[in-house]
Amino acid sequence: MRYGVVVEELAIEVMAQLPDDQARQEVMALVEVARLDPRAWPDVRDPGSVEEIREAFGRRCWIQFMPHAGAIEVRDIGWVGLTPC
């Protein structure tokens, strides 16, 4: 865990495949915004699920995460931009 963020293996793999450092910075900026106010983002859990799963969206990326007391667990990352501006 680093600064209240736990990153799952799938999300780490996606981070490694992003096109460059600027893309990784954009994703990490979104992670930080979600960490600061995790419940501001929509809850997307399946009906009947006990896990609180939320999604946060940036300009070219999104993350799926679970809020925990003072931290978030990043489960998945998506990137829609081919190359950052």
Side-chain angles (χ1 to χ4, degrees):
M1 181 184 335
R2 182 171 186 231
Y3 305 110
V5 176
V6 175
V7 182
E8 291 293 318
E9 187 175 326
L10 176 61
I12 290 170
E13 290 175 18
V14 172
M15 285 288 285
Q17 295 175 10
L18 291 174
D20 58 25
D21 285 338
Q22 187 175 359
R24 284 183 281 284
Q25 288 172 359
E26 186 173 328
V27 170
M28 291 310 295
L30 180 59
V31 167
E32 180 62 10
V33 168
R35 185 189 68 81
L36 291 173
D37 192 7
R39 288 186 172 74
W41 301 94
D43 189 346
V44 297
R45 72 180 109 182
D46 292 328
S49 175
V50 295
E51 293 182 323
E52 182 179 358
I53 301 170
R54 297 192 172 257
E55 288 181 337
F57 303 91
R59 279 187 41 218
R60 293 175 292 198
C61 60
W62 58 267
I63 62 170
Q64 188 176 76
F65 65 94
M66 293 175 51
H68 297 285
I72 64 170
E73 176 183 339
V74 179
R75 299 178 60 149
D76 197 6
I77 296 170
W79 179 256
V80 296
L82 298 177
T83 57
C85 298

